[in-house]
Amino acid sequence: MMAAVSRTGALISSAFVAGRHGRRFSSLAFSGRRFSIRSDRNAGGYCGGGLLSFLPSSRAKGVCSTFAPHAAVETSGAAAEDASTPPPSDPVKKAADALDIRVGRVLRAWRHPEADTLYVEEVDVGEAEPRTICSGLVNYIPLDHLQDAKVVVLANLKPRNMCGIKSNGMLMAASDKSHETVELLIPPEGSVPGERIWFGSEDEKDRQPEAATPNKVQKKKIWESVQPHLKTTDACVAVLGVHPMQTSAGIVTCRSLKHARIS
């Protein structure tokens, strides 16, 4: 009997291979539910074949190691299809990839003239003109800490009128459960204003899809679906589930808040 491991189990022949037992088989190829084998030259170049059935992965390991420890597998048909099937998509990660999160730099900041709890910032996000953003940070962050600070900006929200000033984006920050302590997310040293931030490994940077339009973000409630899954780790790293928030220069963090929510 012969066996070949696929990603979810093993394909097992339904009949013993004709010929003497104990040969070492150097190749095993599939076509539909049939297989063919070829032995080492030292074993006489034997060829054979048979029909296939499927064995779940929970039982595959022992069977394959018993019956075909030396086989090199070439899959086609059902086996190849199984091996090439992509993992199921993560809807939250897919939604997060539609957000336009960028590195920003605060050019100047001042108190909102009509709202005691709001700052107004002009932020460079890599566009021709800086964005005006209003942030409710007066009770948490001293004004001088904002001046010339590198920040993380959610840039594809619809503009909002905040006490007479149109706010075009949001500074992202971490906060504790009681919302008594708030800290801005910090791009790593060397991050460039305007660079789009992503979640995941370094090689995922070049696989980012195009960001959704502000209208789509609002209509599909994309931010609302992503935000509950954003947090900081015990190392103060900003993450989406298990996916770290990254720029080309490294990992996005906050100053000291652990296991904090991000908004």
Side-chain angles (χ1 to χ4, degrees):
M1 182 179 285
M2 292 297 296
V5 179
S6 70
R7 192 155 56 86
T8 57
L11 290 170
I12 308 299
S13 71
S14 61
F16 285 95
V17 178
R20 291 177 297 175
H21 299 299
R23 297 186 187 273
R24 289 191 173 192
F25 297 105
S26 61
S27 68
L28 173 61
F30 299 97
S31 177
R33 293 191 65 236
R34 289 192 170 275
F35 73 91
S36 61
I37 59 170
R38 183 175 297 277
S39 70
D40 291 346
R41 289 184 178 180
N42 292 339
Y46 172 79
C47 294
L51 294 175
L52 301 171
S53 58
F54 186 76
L55 185 68
S57 58
S58 59
R59 296 175 55 202
K61 183 176 180 182
V63 172
C64 292
S65 62
T66 300
F67 292 105
H70 307 291
V73 180
E74 301 172 8
T75 62
S76 63
E81 181 180 351
D82 175 72
S84 63
T85 302
S89 61
D90 179 345
V92 175
K93 176 66 162 56
K94 183 177 180 181
D97 288 342
L99 296 174
D100 187 5
I101 303 174
R102 300 189 205 172
V103 177
R105 182 171 71 90
V106 178
L107 302 178
R108 68 187 187 104
W110 64 96
R111 294 284 294 266
H112 194 299
E114 303 296 333
D116 293 340
T117 61
L118 295 179
Y119 289 132
V120 184
E121 306 98 15
E122 285 186 353
V123 186
D124 176 10
V125 291
E127 297 170 337
E129 298 292 334
R131 291 201 184 198
T132 298
I133 298 176
C134 296
S135 305
L137 299 171
V138 170
N139 296 328
Y140 308 104
I141 297 174
L143 183 59
D144 63 329
H145 287 195
L146 282 173
Q147 307 294 349
D148 203 41
K150 288 281 185 70
V151 291
V152 174
V153 177
L154 179 53
N156 60 341
L157 296 176
K158 288 193 74 172
R160 294 177 57 193
N161 192 317
M162 301 184 73
C163 299
I165 296 178
K166 185 174 286 188
S167 178
N168 194 14
M170 182 180 76
L171 303 190
M172 297 184 69
S175 62
D176 59 9
K177 288 183 179 180
S178 63
H179 204 69
E180 294 179 356
T181 304
V182 176
E183 297 177 357
L184 289 170
L185 296 187
I186 306 169
E189 189 71 27
S191 298
V192 178
E195 181 183 9
R196 192 171 169 200
I197 294 171
W198 73 96
F199 297 97
S201 60
E202 292 182 8
D203 61 359
E204 290 184 70
K205 175 187 177 181
D206 297 328
R207 299 203 299 266
Q208 291 181 93
E210 185 176 347
T213 64
N215 282 336
K216 185 174 182 180
V217 170
Q218 182 182 63
K219 182 178 180 180
K220 299 292 187 180
K221 298 187 181 299
I222 293 175
W223 169 242
E224 290 82 356
S225 69
V226 171
Q227 189 276 323
H229 303 275
L230 294 170
K231 62 182 180 180
T232 62
T233 67
D234 55 7
C236 301
V237 173
V239 295
L240 173 79
V242 298
H243 306 288
M245 182 183 284
Q246 296 220 51
T247 78
S248 295
I251 301 295
V252 174
T253 61
C254 69
R255 185 175 60 83
S256 65
L257 289 176
K258 302 177 181 180
H259 307 291
R261 64 191 295 268
I262 293 174
S263 58

